[in-house]
Amino acid sequence: EVHLVESGGGLVQPGGSLRLSCVASGFTFSRYDMHWVRQATGKGLEWVSAIGTAAGDTYYAGSVKGRFTISRENAKNSLYLQMNSLRAGDTAVYYCARGHYDSNGNDFDYWGQGTLVTVSS
Amino acid sequence: DIVLTQSPATLSLSPGERATLSCRASQSINSYLAWYQQKPGQAPRLLIYDASKRATGIPARFSGSGSVTDFTLSISSLEPEDFAVYYCQQRSSWPLTFGGGTKVEIK
C-alpha cells in the first residue's frame, strides 16, 4: 500500500526558513516524479513544485521560485522542500503527492495527509 | 499561466440526483485535465485523468468529458459520500494549475 508521510511543518517567523520532508513507502520511489501542493485554510489547492525521477528536472510555481528548493534522496525514499524567506502568504497545509505514472507524472494519484506551515510573528 | 475556471462555485443537490460540474481553461490544454475530490480534513483523491479516464478504484458513476478548453465532471447519481469539493487541474504546461473548486452540498 502506498504511503506518503510529511513532516517538518510548524510555526516560523516571516523571513525564516523551514525544511519539509516526505517519506514514501509501498512503491518504488525512484521511478516516480514527485510534487508538493499546498492549501491555505479554507482555500483551494495550489501546486508548488515538482521533481523528476533523477532529480535533474525541477519546476516551481512563480510564487515560490527563488525561495523554495525541491530535492529528493532516492536511497532514503525521501522528498524534501527547503523553504526560505517565508512570507505570511506561504501559510498552508503542504501536501506531498506522487506523480501519476499514466499521466506523464504531472497529476497526482497519491497524497500524504499534509503538514501545516504557519508563518507569523 | 493557464487559468482554470470552475462553475458553479456551489451545487446544491439531493442524493440520487445527477451532478454536472464545469471546468473551463483559458487556453487549449488538449485533454490534459484531471479531477479530484476533497472531503473536509482529508487530502484530495484523484478521480479522473486525461479528461475522461477513471483512476484506479473510482466508481463508474463518475465520468469526465471534454477537450481543448471545456470540460465536465458528471456524477450520475449522487451517493451520500459524494458531497465534497471537486477540483480540476491541468498538466498541459508549467506551472501546473488548479481550478478554484466546486462544492457539492446536500440540498
Short mmCIF file of all heavy atoms in Angstrom, two decimals, chain A residues 35 37 39 43-47 50 59-62 95 100 102-104 106-109 111-113, chain B residues 33-34 36 38 41-46 48-50 55 87 89-91 94-100:
data_model
loop_
_atom_site.label_atom_id
_atom_site.label_comp_id
_atom_site.label_asym_id
_atom_site.label_seq_id
_atom_site.Cartn_x
_atom_site.Cartn_y
_atom_site.Cartn_z
N HIS A 35 5.77 15.70 -6.18
CA HIS A 35 5.30 17.08 -6.14
C HIS A 35 5.01 17.53 -4.72
O HIS A 35 4.74 16.71 -3.84
CB HIS A 35 3.99 17.22 -6.93
CG HIS A 35 4.08 16.83 -8.37
ND1 HIS A 35 4.16 17.76 -9.38
CD2 HIS A 35 4.10 15.61 -8.97
CE1 HIS A 35 4.21 17.13 -10.56
NE2 HIS A 35 4.17 15.82 -10.32
N VAL A 37 2.18 20.22 -3.09
CA VAL A 37 0.96 21.01 -3.34
C VAL A 37 0.54 21.60 -2.00
O VAL A 37 0.62 20.91 -0.98
CB VAL A 37 -0.17 20.13 -3.91
CG1 VAL A 37 -1.44 20.95 -4.11
CG2 VAL A 37 0.26 19.49 -5.23
N GLN A 39 -2.28 24.16 0.44
CA GLN A 39 -3.65 24.61 0.57
C GLN A 39 -3.78 25.47 1.81
O GLN A 39 -3.64 24.97 2.93
CB GLN A 39 -4.60 23.41 0.65
CG GLN A 39 -6.07 23.77 0.65
CD GLN A 39 -6.95 22.53 0.52
OE1 GLN A 39 -6.64 21.47 1.07
NE2 GLN A 39 -8.05 22.66 -0.21
N LYS A 43 -9.16 27.51 1.59
CA LYS A 43 -8.90 27.91 0.21
C LYS A 43 -8.68 26.70 -0.68
O LYS A 43 -8.75 25.55 -0.24
CB LYS A 43 -7.67 28.83 0.15
CG LYS A 43 -7.78 30.06 1.02
CD LYS A 43 -8.91 30.98 0.59
CE LYS A 43 -8.93 32.25 1.41
NZ LYS A 43 -10.06 33.14 1.03
N GLY A 44 -8.39 26.98 -1.95
CA GLY A 44 -8.19 25.91 -2.92
C GLY A 44 -6.76 25.38 -2.93
O GLY A 44 -5.92 25.75 -2.10
N LEU A 45 -6.52 24.48 -3.87
CA LEU A 45 -5.22 23.83 -3.99
C LEU A 45 -4.30 24.67 -4.87
O LEU A 45 -4.73 25.26 -5.87
CB LEU A 45 -5.41 22.45 -4.62
CG LEU A 45 -6.30 21.49 -3.83
CD1 LEU A 45 -6.66 20.28 -4.69
CD2 LEU A 45 -5.61 21.04 -2.56
N GLU A 46 -3.02 24.69 -4.50
CA GLU A 46 -2.01 25.39 -5.29
C GLU A 46 -0.80 24.48 -5.45
O GLU A 46 -0.17 24.09 -4.47
CB GLU A 46 -1.58 26.70 -4.62
CG GLU A 46 -0.53 27.45 -5.42
CD GLU A 46 0.02 28.68 -4.71
OE1 GLU A 46 -0.19 28.82 -3.49
OE2 GLU A 46 0.65 29.51 -5.36
N TRP A 47 -0.48 24.15 -6.69
CA TRP A 47 0.74 23.38 -6.95
C TRP A 47 1.96 24.25 -6.63
O TRP A 47 1.99 25.44 -6.97
CB TRP A 47 0.75 22.94 -8.41
CG TRP A 47 2.05 22.31 -8.81
CD1 TRP A 47 2.45 21.03 -8.57
CD2 TRP A 47 3.12 22.94 -9.49
NE1 TRP A 47 3.71 20.83 -9.07
CE2 TRP A 47 4.15 21.99 -9.65
CE3 TRP A 47 3.32 24.23 -10.00
CZ2 TRP A 47 5.34 22.27 -10.29
CZ3 TRP A 47 4.51 24.52 -10.64
CH2 TRP A 47 5.52 23.54 -10.78
N ALA A 50 7.75 20.53 -8.41
CA ALA A 50 7.85 19.16 -8.89
C ALA A 50 9.30 18.79 -9.11
O ALA A 50 10.15 19.66 -9.39
CB ALA A 50 7.08 18.98 -10.19
N TYR A 59 10.76 22.02 -11.09
CA TYR A 59 9.82 23.04 -11.55
C TYR A 59 9.20 23.72 -10.33
O TYR A 59 9.01 23.08 -9.29
CB TYR A 59 8.72 22.41 -12.41
CG TYR A 59 9.24 21.66 -13.60
CD1 TYR A 59 9.59 20.31 -13.49
CD2 TYR A 59 9.39 22.28 -14.83
CE1 TYR A 59 10.08 19.61 -14.57
CE2 TYR A 59 9.89 21.58 -15.93
CZ TYR A 59 10.23 20.25 -15.79
OH TYR A 59 10.72 19.56 -16.86
N TYR A 60 8.89 24.99 -10.49
CA TYR A 60 8.36 25.76 -9.37
C TYR A 60 7.22 26.67 -9.82
O TYR A 60 7.22 27.19 -10.95
CB TYR A 60 9.45 26.64 -8.76
CG TYR A 60 10.60 25.84 -8.19
CD1 TYR A 60 11.73 25.57 -8.95
CD2 TYR A 60 10.55 25.36 -6.88
CE1 TYR A 60 12.77 24.82 -8.44
CE2 TYR A 60 11.59 24.62 -6.36
CZ TYR A 60 12.70 24.35 -7.15
OH TYR A 60 13.74 23.61 -6.63
N ALA A 61 6.28 26.89 -8.91
CA ALA A 61 5.29 27.94 -9.12
C ALA A 61 6.00 29.30 -9.02
O ALA A 61 6.98 29.45 -8.28
CB ALA A 61 4.21 27.84 -8.05
N GLY A 62 5.47 30.27 -9.75
CA GLY A 62 6.08 31.58 -9.73
C GLY A 62 6.14 32.20 -8.35
O GLY A 62 7.06 32.95 -8.02
N TYR A 95 1.14 19.41 1.09
CA TYR A 95 0.98 18.00 0.77
C TYR A 95 2.12 17.53 -0.14
O TYR A 95 2.49 18.22 -1.10
CB TYR A 95 -0.33 17.76 0.01
CG TYR A 95 -1.59 17.99 0.79
CD1 TYR A 95 -2.34 19.16 0.60
CD2 TYR A 95 -2.07 17.04 1.68
CE1 TYR A 95 -3.53 19.35 1.27
CE2 TYR A 95 -3.26 17.24 2.36
CZ TYR A 95 -3.97 18.40 2.15
OH TYR A 95 -5.15 18.60 2.83
N HIS A 100 1.34 10.85 -11.16
CA HIS A 100 0.62 9.74 -11.75
C HIS A 100 1.36 9.25 -12.99
O HIS A 100 1.50 9.98 -13.97
CB HIS A 100 -0.80 10.19 -12.10
CG HIS A 100 -1.68 9.10 -12.59
ND1 HIS A 100 -2.69 9.34 -13.51
CD2 HIS A 100 -1.74 7.78 -12.30
CE1 HIS A 100 -3.33 8.21 -13.76
NE2 HIS A 100 -2.77 7.26 -13.03
N ASP A 102 0.66 7.23 -15.38
CA ASP A 102 -0.08 7.17 -16.65
C ASP A 102 -0.33 8.56 -17.24
O ASP A 102 -0.83 8.67 -18.35
CB ASP A 102 -1.41 6.46 -16.46
CG ASP A 102 -1.22 4.97 -16.20
OD1 ASP A 102 -0.12 4.46 -16.46
OD2 ASP A 102 -2.17 4.32 -15.73
N SER A 103 0.00 9.60 -16.48
CA SER A 103 -0.22 10.97 -16.96
C SER A 103 1.09 11.72 -17.04
O SER A 103 1.16 12.91 -16.71
CB SER A 103 -1.17 11.71 -16.02
OG SER A 103 -2.42 11.07 -15.96
N ASN A 104 2.13 11.03 -17.42
CA ASN A 104 3.44 11.67 -17.57
C ASN A 104 3.92 12.29 -16.26
O ASN A 104 4.75 13.19 -16.27
CB ASN A 104 3.37 12.73 -18.67
CG ASN A 104 4.75 13.08 -19.21
OD1 ASN A 104 5.64 12.25 -19.22
ND2 ASN A 104 4.92 14.33 -19.61
N ASN A 106 2.42 14.20 -14.12
CA ASN A 106 2.04 15.58 -13.78
C ASN A 106 0.59 15.75 -13.36
O ASN A 106 0.04 16.86 -13.45
CB ASN A 106 2.38 16.51 -14.95
CG ASN A 106 3.87 16.63 -15.12
OD1 ASN A 106 4.63 16.44 -14.17
ND2 ASN A 106 4.30 16.91 -16.32
N ASP A 107 -0.07 14.68 -12.93
CA ASP A 107 -1.15 14.84 -11.99
C ASP A 107 -0.86 13.88 -10.85
O ASP A 107 0.20 13.26 -10.83
CB ASP A 107 -2.55 14.73 -12.61
CG ASP A 107 -2.73 13.61 -13.59
OD1 ASP A 107 -2.29 12.47 -13.28
OD2 ASP A 107 -3.31 13.87 -14.65
N PHE A 108 -1.75 13.76 -9.87
CA PHE A 108 -1.31 13.27 -8.57
C PHE A 108 -2.21 12.13 -8.09
O PHE A 108 -3.38 12.35 -7.78
CB PHE A 108 -1.32 14.41 -7.55
CG PHE A 108 -0.88 15.72 -8.13
CD1 PHE A 108 -1.78 16.75 -8.31
CD2 PHE A 108 0.43 15.90 -8.53
CE1 PHE A 108 -1.39 17.94 -8.88
CE2 PHE A 108 0.84 17.08 -9.11
CZ PHE A 108 -0.07 18.12 -9.29
N ASP A 109 -1.64 10.92 -8.04
CA ASP A 109 -2.50 9.77 -7.72
C ASP A 109 -2.47 9.36 -6.25
O ASP A 109 -3.37 8.65 -5.81
CB ASP A 109 -2.20 8.58 -8.65
CG ASP A 109 -0.77 8.08 -8.56
OD1 ASP A 109 0.05 8.71 -7.86
OD2 ASP A 109 -0.49 7.06 -9.20
N TRP A 111 -1.55 11.03 -2.21
CA TRP A 111 -1.23 12.22 -1.44
C TRP A 111 -0.95 11.82 0.01
O TRP A 111 -1.55 10.86 0.53
CB TRP A 111 -2.43 13.17 -1.43
CG TRP A 111 -2.88 13.68 -2.76
CD1 TRP A 111 -3.38 12.94 -3.80
CD2 TRP A 111 -2.92 15.04 -3.17
NE1 TRP A 111 -3.72 13.77 -4.84
CE2 TRP A 111 -3.46 15.07 -4.47
CE3 TRP A 111 -2.58 16.25 -2.57
CZ2 TRP A 111 -3.64 16.26 -5.19
CZ3 TRP A 111 -2.78 17.43 -3.27
CH2 TRP A 111 -3.30 17.44 -4.57
N GLY A 112 -0.06 12.59 0.65
CA GLY A 112 0.08 12.44 2.08
C GLY A 112 -1.05 13.16 2.79
O GLY A 112 -1.93 13.75 2.16
N GLN A 113 -0.99 13.16 4.11
CA GLN A 113 -2.02 13.84 4.91
C GLN A 113 -1.69 15.31 5.16
O GLN A 113 -2.52 16.05 5.67
CB GLN A 113 -2.25 13.13 6.23
CG GLN A 113 -3.12 11.89 6.06
CD GLN A 113 -4.44 12.21 5.36
OE1 GLN A 113 -5.25 13.00 5.83
NE2 GLN A 113 -4.68 11.58 4.21
N LEU B 33 -6.42 17.10 -18.51
CA LEU B 33 -7.15 17.60 -17.35
C LEU B 33 -7.48 16.46 -16.40
O LEU B 33 -7.88 15.38 -16.83
CB LEU B 33 -8.45 18.28 -17.79
CG LEU B 33 -9.13 18.99 -16.62
CD1 LEU B 33 -8.70 20.44 -16.56
CD2 LEU B 33 -10.63 18.85 -16.66
N ALA B 34 -7.32 16.74 -15.12
CA ALA B 34 -7.67 15.78 -14.07
C ALA B 34 -8.71 16.40 -13.14
O ALA B 34 -8.84 17.62 -13.04
CB ALA B 34 -6.43 15.41 -13.27
N TYR B 36 -10.28 15.99 -9.06
CA TYR B 36 -10.05 15.48 -7.72
C TYR B 36 -11.27 15.76 -6.85
O TYR B 36 -11.97 16.75 -7.04
CB TYR B 36 -8.83 16.17 -7.07
CG TYR B 36 -7.56 16.00 -7.85
CD1 TYR B 36 -7.25 16.85 -8.90
CD2 TYR B 36 -6.67 14.97 -7.54
CE1 TYR B 36 -6.09 16.69 -9.63
CE2 TYR B 36 -5.50 14.79 -8.26
CZ TYR B 36 -5.22 15.66 -9.31
OH TYR B 36 -4.07 15.49 -10.04
N GLN B 38 -12.22 16.28 -2.74
CA GLN B 38 -11.65 16.51 -1.41
C GLN B 38 -12.76 16.65 -0.39
O GLN B 38 -13.66 17.48 -0.55
CB GLN B 38 -10.75 17.75 -1.38
CG GLN B 38 -10.01 17.89 -0.06
CD GLN B 38 -9.08 19.08 -0.02
OE1 GLN B 38 -9.35 20.13 -0.62
NE2 GLN B 38 -7.98 18.95 0.71
N GLY B 41 -10.93 17.91 5.96
CA GLY B 41 -9.89 17.28 6.76
C GLY B 41 -9.12 16.17 6.07
O GLY B 41 -8.29 15.51 6.70
N GLN B 42 -9.39 15.97 4.79
CA GLN B 42 -8.71 14.90 4.05
C GLN B 42 -7.91 15.47 2.88
O GLN B 42 -8.17 16.57 2.40
CB GLN B 42 -9.73 13.90 3.51
CG GLN B 42 -10.49 13.13 4.58
CD GLN B 42 -11.40 12.07 3.98
OE1 GLN B 42 -11.26 11.70 2.81
NE2 GLN B 42 -12.33 11.57 4.77
N ALA B 43 -6.95 14.67 2.43
CA ALA B 43 -6.22 15.02 1.22
C ALA B 43 -7.11 14.78 -0.01
O ALA B 43 -8.07 14.00 0.06
CB ALA B 43 -4.97 14.16 1.11
N PRO B 44 -6.83 15.44 -1.09
CA PRO B 44 -7.60 15.19 -2.33
C PRO B 44 -7.39 13.76 -2.82
O PRO B 44 -6.41 13.11 -2.49
CB PRO B 44 -6.99 16.20 -3.32
CG PRO B 44 -6.39 17.26 -2.47
CD PRO B 44 -5.87 16.54 -1.26
N ARG B 45 -8.36 13.32 -3.63
CA ARG B 45 -8.31 12.00 -4.25
C ARG B 45 -8.48 12.14 -5.75
O ARG B 45 -9.43 12.84 -6.19
CB ARG B 45 -9.42 11.11 -3.67
CG ARG B 45 -9.49 9.72 -4.30
CD ARG B 45 -10.49 8.81 -3.63
NE ARG B 45 -11.87 9.16 -3.83
CZ ARG B 45 -12.87 8.27 -3.96
NH1 ARG B 45 -12.60 6.98 -3.96
NH2 ARG B 45 -14.11 8.67 -4.09
N LEU B 46 -7.62 11.50 -6.50
CA LEU B 46 -7.71 11.56 -7.96
C LEU B 46 -8.91 10.75 -8.43
O LEU B 46 -9.05 9.57 -8.09
CB LEU B 46 -6.43 11.01 -8.58
CG LEU B 46 -6.39 10.94 -10.11
CD1 LEU B 46 -6.42 12.33 -10.73
CD2 LEU B 46 -5.14 10.17 -10.58
N ILE B 48 -10.42 11.39 -12.02
CA ILE B 48 -10.37 11.33 -13.47
C ILE B 48 -9.05 11.93 -13.95
O ILE B 48 -8.61 12.95 -13.41
CB ILE B 48 -11.53 12.13 -14.11
CG1 ILE B 48 -12.90 11.62 -13.65
CG2 ILE B 48 -11.42 12.16 -15.64
CD1 ILE B 48 -13.31 10.29 -14.24
N TYR B 49 -8.42 11.31 -14.94
CA TYR B 49 -7.25 11.91 -15.56
C TYR B 49 -7.41 11.87 -17.08
O TYR B 49 -8.24 11.12 -17.60
CB TYR B 49 -5.96 11.23 -15.10
CG TYR B 49 -5.82 9.79 -15.55
CD1 TYR B 49 -5.07 9.46 -16.67
CD2 TYR B 49 -6.42 8.75 -14.83
CE1 TYR B 49 -4.93 8.14 -17.08
CE2 TYR B 49 -6.30 7.45 -15.23
CZ TYR B 49 -5.55 7.14 -16.35
OH TYR B 49 -5.42 5.84 -16.75
N ASP B 50 -6.62 12.70 -17.74
CA ASP B 50 -6.73 12.82 -19.20
C ASP B 50 -8.18 13.01 -19.64
O ASP B 50 -8.64 12.41 -20.61
CB ASP B 50 -6.09 11.64 -19.91
CG ASP B 50 -4.57 11.66 -19.80
OD1 ASP B 50 -4.02 12.69 -19.35
OD2 ASP B 50 -3.93 10.67 -20.16
N ALA B 55 -9.59 6.95 -12.59
CA ALA B 55 -8.45 6.45 -11.84
C ALA B 55 -8.81 5.12 -11.18
O ALA B 55 -9.99 4.75 -11.07
CB ALA B 55 -8.02 7.47 -10.80
N TYR B 87 -12.09 19.61 -7.57
CA TYR B 87 -11.13 20.49 -8.24
C TYR B 87 -10.72 19.88 -9.58
O TYR B 87 -10.53 18.68 -9.69
CB TYR B 87 -9.86 20.66 -7.41
CG TYR B 87 -10.05 21.36 -6.10
CD1 TYR B 87 -10.24 20.65 -4.92
CD2 TYR B 87 -10.02 22.75 -6.02
CE1 TYR B 87 -10.42 21.29 -3.70
CE2 TYR B 87 -10.19 23.41 -4.80
CZ TYR B 87 -10.38 22.67 -3.66
OH TYR B 87 -10.55 23.32 -2.46
N GLN B 89 -7.60 20.20 -12.61
CA GLN B 89 -6.16 20.52 -12.65
C GLN B 89 -5.63 20.21 -14.05
O GLN B 89 -5.95 19.16 -14.61
CB GLN B 89 -5.40 19.71 -11.61
CG GLN B 89 -3.89 19.87 -11.64
CD GLN B 89 -3.16 18.62 -12.07
OE1 GLN B 89 -3.59 17.51 -11.77
NE2 GLN B 89 -2.04 18.78 -12.77
N GLN B 90 -4.81 21.12 -14.58
CA GLN B 90 -4.25 20.89 -15.91
C GLN B 90 -2.77 20.53 -15.83
O GLN B 90 -2.05 21.02 -14.95
CB GLN B 90 -4.47 22.11 -16.82
CG GLN B 90 -3.75 23.38 -16.41
CD GLN B 90 -2.29 23.45 -16.84
OE1 GLN B 90 -1.89 22.74 -17.77
NE2 GLN B 90 -1.50 24.28 -16.17
N ARG B 91 -2.35 19.67 -16.75
CA ARG B 91 -0.94 19.30 -16.83
C ARG B 91 -0.39 19.60 -18.22
O ARG B 91 0.63 19.05 -18.62
CB ARG B 91 -0.75 17.81 -16.50
CG ARG B 91 -1.37 16.85 -17.52
CD ARG B 91 -0.96 15.42 -17.18
NE ARG B 91 -1.47 14.44 -18.12
CZ ARG B 91 -0.82 14.06 -19.23
NH1 ARG B 91 0.34 14.58 -19.55
NH2 ARG B 91 -1.34 13.15 -20.03
N TRP B 94 3.63 24.08 -17.70
CA TRP B 94 4.07 24.61 -16.41
C TRP B 94 3.74 26.09 -16.32
O TRP B 94 3.85 26.81 -17.30
CB TRP B 94 5.58 24.42 -16.26
CG TRP B 94 6.04 23.01 -16.38
CD1 TRP B 94 6.62 22.44 -17.47
CD2 TRP B 94 5.94 21.98 -15.38
NE1 TRP B 94 6.87 21.12 -17.21
CE2 TRP B 94 6.48 20.81 -15.93
CE3 TRP B 94 5.45 21.94 -14.06
CZ2 TRP B 94 6.55 19.61 -15.22
CZ3 TRP B 94 5.52 20.75 -13.36
CH2 TRP B 94 6.06 19.61 -13.94
N PRO B 95 3.35 26.54 -15.14
CA PRO B 95 3.12 25.79 -13.91
C PRO B 95 1.81 25.03 -13.96
O PRO B 95 0.83 25.45 -14.59
CB PRO B 95 3.07 26.89 -12.85
CG PRO B 95 2.50 28.06 -13.58
CD PRO B 95 3.06 27.99 -14.97
N LEU B 96 1.78 23.87 -13.31
CA LEU B 96 0.53 23.15 -13.17
C LEU B 96 -0.43 24.02 -12.37
O LEU B 96 -0.02 24.72 -11.44
CB LEU B 96 0.78 21.84 -12.43
CG LEU B 96 1.89 20.94 -12.98
CD1 LEU B 96 2.01 19.66 -12.14
CD2 LEU B 96 1.67 20.62 -14.44
N THR B 97 -1.71 24.00 -12.77
CA THR B 97 -2.67 24.86 -12.09
C THR B 97 -3.96 24.10 -11.79
O THR B 97 -4.32 23.15 -12.49
CB THR B 97 -3.00 26.10 -12.93
OG1 THR B 97 -3.37 25.71 -14.26
CG2 THR B 97 -1.81 27.05 -12.99
N PHE B 98 -4.63 24.56 -10.74
CA PHE B 98 -5.91 24.01 -10.32
C PHE B 98 -7.01 25.06 -10.55
O PHE B 98 -6.75 26.28 -10.51
CB PHE B 98 -5.90 23.70 -8.82
CG PHE B 98 -5.09 22.51 -8.43
CD1 PHE B 98 -3.75 22.66 -8.10
CD2 PHE B 98 -5.64 21.24 -8.36
CE1 PHE B 98 -2.99 21.57 -7.71
CE2 PHE B 98 -4.90 20.14 -7.97
CZ PHE B 98 -3.56 20.31 -7.65
N GLY B 99 -8.23 24.57 -10.70
CA GLY B 99 -9.38 25.44 -10.65
C GLY B 99 -9.71 25.79 -9.20
O GLY B 99 -9.15 25.21 -8.27
N GLY B 100 -10.63 26.73 -9.03
CA GLY B 100 -10.96 27.20 -7.70
C GLY B 100 -11.87 26.27 -6.90
O GLY B 100 -12.07 26.49 -5.70
#
